[in-house]
Amino acid sequence: MITVIGIFDDKALAEQVTEYLIANEFDNENVDIHADEAQPSSTDRIADFFNHVYDNGDEAAHYASLSRNGTIVTVHAASTREAQEAVDAFNNHGAISVDANDTRSLLIEKIVVPELRLRG
């Protein structure tokens, strides 16, 4: 399983790419969208998610901080082809740059445990 992550400044763009993916044969169960809308919570779901997918705490903190002011779309892809299609969709729909190399989608070859997925 390959997890593809896109971060969007504009929630409407995140919703558009989610609709696009589902309309183009991505399984709804494998596409998650999450906006951190400052709702009180006893846990930091975004930090927990990035700490799960990255072993490096600084790297996890960097991506979590970028995500807190935006909307995160994740695709849990079954193949490299599907992962690349998700990357292309994220880039074409305005995912933000997440590093100095102008990378706009993150690919992690790790299964995200269900309780840490960012749905809703």
Side-chain angles (χ1 to χ4, degrees), residues 47-97:
D48 292 345
F49 172 79
F50 283 103
N51 282 319
H52 175 68
V53 296
Y54 287 101
D55 294 329
N56 180 309
D58 291 338
E59 197 171 22
H62 169 72
Y63 295 121
S65 70
L66 288 175
S67 301
R68 285 200 176 80
N69 295 321
T71 301
I72 305 164
V73 178
T74 53
V75 171
H76 308 281
S79 68
T80 303
R81 181 196 58 78
E82 191 174 69
Q84 187 58 55
E85 287 178 17
V87 167
D88 293 344
F90 288 168
N91 293 343
N92 292 335
H93 283 84
I96 66 168
S97 296

Side-chain angles (χ1 to χ4, degrees), residues 1-5 32 48-56 60 74-78 83 106-114 116-117:
M1 182 74 55
I2 303 168
T3 301
V4 184
I5 304 165
D32 300 337
D48 292 345
F49 172 79
F50 283 103
N51 282 319
H52 175 68
V53 296
Y54 287 101
D55 294 329
N56 180 309
T74 53
V75 171
H76 308 281
L106 306 169
L107 288 126
I108 298 103
E109 292 194 41
K110 188 171 195 172
I111 296 172
V112 178
V113 295
L116 292 178
R117 285 179 57 174

